[in-house]
Amino acid sequence: MGVMDKKLNLYKRQIIQIGQRLYQKGLIVATEGNISVKVDENTLLATSQGIHKGSMTPGQIVKTDLKGVKLEGKGEPSSELKMHLAVYHTRPDVNAVIHAHPPVGTGFAVAGLALDQFILPEVVVTLGTVPLLKYATPTTDELAELVSDSIAQHDALLLANHGALTVGKDLMTAYYKMETLEQFARISLVARLLGRENILPPEAVEKLMELRAQYLRKFSS
Ligand SMILES: [Zn+2]
C-alpha cells in the first residue's frame, strides 16, 4: 500500500470515529451532519449523502478535489459540501470541518440567539464567541457565502434555524469545538432558566483575550 493510501485510510478511520462520537453524544441523529478533512491541497475526504454517521464504513466516505468534484467513492459527497469548501477556501489553516445539529446550540439558533456573551473563561480562551448567521437554505451557495464571511473571524458558527459548524487544524480539534459549543449553550441555557446570566466584566475579558492570543499561537486553529 502506498503512502497516500495509508494516509487516506487513516483519515477515513478518524472520520468514522468522529461520526460515532457525534452520534453517541446526541449532536446528530438519523442521517444528520457531515464531516470533511483536507488530506492535501488537491484532496478532500467527505462523508457521503444520506448515511448514518454513527455507523459508517470506509466505503461511505468519498474522495473529492478541493472544488468538490468526486474523484473516488460509491456515494455522492454530502449535499452540504459547498459550505465545507467555502471554509477551506477562506481558511488555509483549517484542515477539518464538522457540521452537526447539537440540540441546545441549535435551540439558540432557532431562538435567534448567538452564543456571543463572555460567561465562561475557558470557552473565551479556547473557542471565542459563536456568531449566529442569518437563515439560508441548506445546500445553497447563499449559505456557503454566509459561512465564508463569518469563518474568517471564528472557529464555530450557529446557522439560524439549522445547526452548527466548527473547524479545526485537524478532525479532533474541530470535534472538540462542537462539544464545547454545545456545552456553552447548555450552561448559558441553565443560567437563563435560573434567571441570571452574569457576564464577565470587561477587565476580566481583556485578560482572557491575552490568554486566547497565547492559546492561538500554540494551537493555531
Ligand atoms: Zn444540517
Side-chain angles (χ1 to χ4, degrees), residues 16-186:
I16 290 168
Q17 194 192 35
I18 298 294
Q20 287 166 351
R21 286 182 181 225
L22 286 168
Y23 181 68
Q24 282 160 8
K25 277 266 177 190
L27 303 171
I28 49 171
V29 300
T31 60
E32 288 178 348
N34 30 77
I35 305 163
S36 72
V37 62
K38 187 167 89 178
V39 180
D40 61 32
E41 291 313 310
N42 304 306
T43 319
L44 207 68
L45 288 175
T47 50
S48 55
Q49 277 179 29
I51 56 156
H52 180 256
K53 279 78 189 182
S55 52
M56 276 186 286
T57 61
Q60 291 175 317
I61 296 165
V62 182
K63 187 168 111 179
T64 76
D65 64 14
L66 266 284
K67 290 195 173 81
V69 177
K70 187 167 100 168
L71 303 173
E72 212 178 283
K74 273 198 293 255
E76 286 306 310
S78 163
S79 55
E80 292 284 20
L81 191 66
K82 269 183 199 163
M83 197 161 70
H84 295 233
L85 297 171
V87 172
Y88 294 119
H89 188 74
T90 311
R91 292 276 303 270
D93 60 313
V94 164
N95 297 309
V97 178
I98 297 177
H99 166 55
H101 301 162
V104 183
T106 304
F108 274 74
V110 170
L113 298 169
L115 288 165
D116 58 358
Q117 302 294 346
F118 297 116
I119 55 168
L120 297 163
E122 279 153 310
V123 174
V124 175
V125 173
T126 62
L127 187 71
T129 54
V130 184
L132 172 67
L133 273 54
K134 66 176 188 172
Y135 180 75
T137 308
T139 79
T140 59
D141 289 335
E142 191 194 355
L143 179 57
E145 275 164 33
L146 290 174
V147 166
S148 170
D149 289 345
S150 287
I151 206 69
Q153 303 295 333
H154 299 273
D155 289 341
L157 309 174
L158 285 178
L159 318 176
N161 294 78
H162 181 175
L165 181 138
T166 58
V167 306
K169 65 178 182 345
D170 53 39
L171 275 165
M172 203 45 98
T173 307
Y175 172 73
Y176 285 151
K177 283 178 184 165
M178 189 61 76
E179 274 194 346
T180 302
L181 178 155
E182 181 64 352
Q183 189 76 342
F184 182 10
R186 268 194 212 125

